[in-house]
């Protein structure tokens, strides 16, 4: 239910912001507003607005398919509220390196739930490394997708120029793995055992 509530809220806020430039500009991450005007809420609210419908749908479809499983995994340990806080903290943690890098750059803006969605996705991959993930209708084992995703994100983050915050993807993914391991350390043993026994 928390996953669906986050999804619904994100769609609603993003949809409203599509037709309201003032709302969009207030919610997205603009570092000078955080640095000078102390609008710290932007470090989280940027995760609820998106550039366009394609950006929104890609993130929300991913959240829908993997968020429900991760929520079911996390809830016995930290409860429904804990899962909601995990998601919100993932938005924050994923964007912090970007904010620190661009804190005095008035031309920089960032928005979207990709960092938090990456955290959810990689928490899932840690538990189910051989589950097939469909990438453009092509089935790819989750662990293979994770390696390619990380490699591509590192390469594109260094290269730049494509208007995508790859740093947030990487930090979000790392946070999802670290949070899961801290919550239940035995997941490392489970991951290694499952990794050694491929099943599709």
């Amino acid at each position: 239910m928390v996953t669906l509530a986050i999804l619904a809220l994100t769609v609603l806020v993003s949809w409203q912001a599509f037709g309201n430039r003032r709302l969009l500009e207030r919610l997205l991450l603009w570092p000078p507003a955080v640095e000078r005007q102390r609008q710290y809420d932007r470090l989280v609210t940027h995760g609820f607005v998106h550039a366009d419908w394609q950006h929104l749908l890609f993130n929300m479809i991913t959240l829908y398919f993997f968020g429900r499983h991760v929520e079911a995994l996390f809830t016995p340990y930290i409860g429904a509220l804990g899962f909601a806080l995990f998601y919100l903290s993932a938005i924050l943690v994923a964007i912090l390196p970007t904010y620190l890098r661009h804190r005095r750059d008035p031309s920089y803006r960032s928005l979207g739930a990709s960092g938090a969605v990456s955290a959810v996705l990689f928490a899932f991959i840690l538990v189910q490394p051989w589950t097939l993930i469909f990438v453009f209708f092509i089935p790819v084992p989750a662990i293979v997708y994770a390696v390619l995703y990380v490699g591509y994100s590192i390469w594109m983050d260094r290269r730049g120029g494509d208007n995508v915050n790859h740093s947030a993807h990487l930090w979000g993914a790392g946070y999802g793995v670290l949070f899961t391991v801290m919550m239940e350390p035995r997941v490392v043993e489970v991951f290694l055992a499952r990794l050694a026994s491929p099943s599709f």
Side-chain angles (χ1 to χ4, degrees):
M1 290 301 295
V2 174
T3 298
L4 296 179
I6 292 171
L7 193 156
L9 179 61
T10 306
V11 170
L12 177 62
V13 175
S14 293
W15 172 56
Q16 290 296 312
F18 288 152
N20 186 337
R21 187 72 188 181
R22 186 175 179 181
L23 177 63
L24 179 67
E25 292 289 343
R26 178 56 186 84
L27 298 180
L28 57 71
L29 176 70
W30 184 47
V34 180
E35 180 77 6
R36 301 171 193 165
Q37 302 171 33
R38 304 294 188 263
Q39 294 177 355
Y40 298 114
D41 57 289
R42 289 176 181 265
L43 294 170
V44 173
T45 59
H46 76 276
F48 291 89
V49 289
H50 290 76
D52 50 40
W53 281 108
Q54 182 179 355
H55 186 206
L56 174 64
L57 288 174
F58 182 81
N59 277 334
M60 293 303 97
I61 288 172
T62 305
L63 178 62
Y64 175 76
F65 282 110
F66 299 102
R68 295 172 301 154
H69 296 287
V70 175
E71 180 182 349
L73 173 68
F74 281 20
T75 299
Y77 292 92
I78 58 177
L81 178 60
F83 176 74
L85 292 175
F86 159 71
Y87 184 87
L88 294 174
S89 64
I91 296 176
L92 175 63
V93 171
I95 203 64
L96 275 178
T98 298
Y99 164 67
L100 293 174
R101 188 191 311 174
H102 295 278
R103 59 192 296 183
R104 293 182 177 88
D105 181 0
S107 66
Y108 187 83
R109 285 162 172 73
S110 186
L111 74 174
S114 301
V117 171
S118 292
V120 170
L121 176 59
F122 273 71
F124 175 85
I125 292 172
L126 186 63
V127 178
Q128 299 290 347
W130 293 111
T131 297
L132 294 178
I133 294 177
F134 287 83
V135 182
F136 300 112
F137 304 104
I138 300 172
V140 178
I143 189 63
V144 174
Y145 174 81
V147 171
L148 295 175
Y149 182 91
V150 169
Y152 176 77
S153 295
I154 292 173
W155 178 58
M156 290 303 296
D157 185 49
R158 292 177 177 174
R159 181 184 178 200
D162 67 346
N163 246 2
V164 175
N165 190 350
H166 296 284
S167 170
H169 296 173
L170 288 167
W171 283 92
Y175 180 69
V177 170
L178 181 61
F179 187 96
T180 307
V181 171
M182 291 181 66
M183 181 187 70
E184 175 49 273
R186 290 176 296 179
V187 76
V188 175
E189 182 181 344
V190 172
F191 170 74
L192 294 175
R194 290 180 176 175
L195 198 62
S197 303
S199 59
F200 304 99

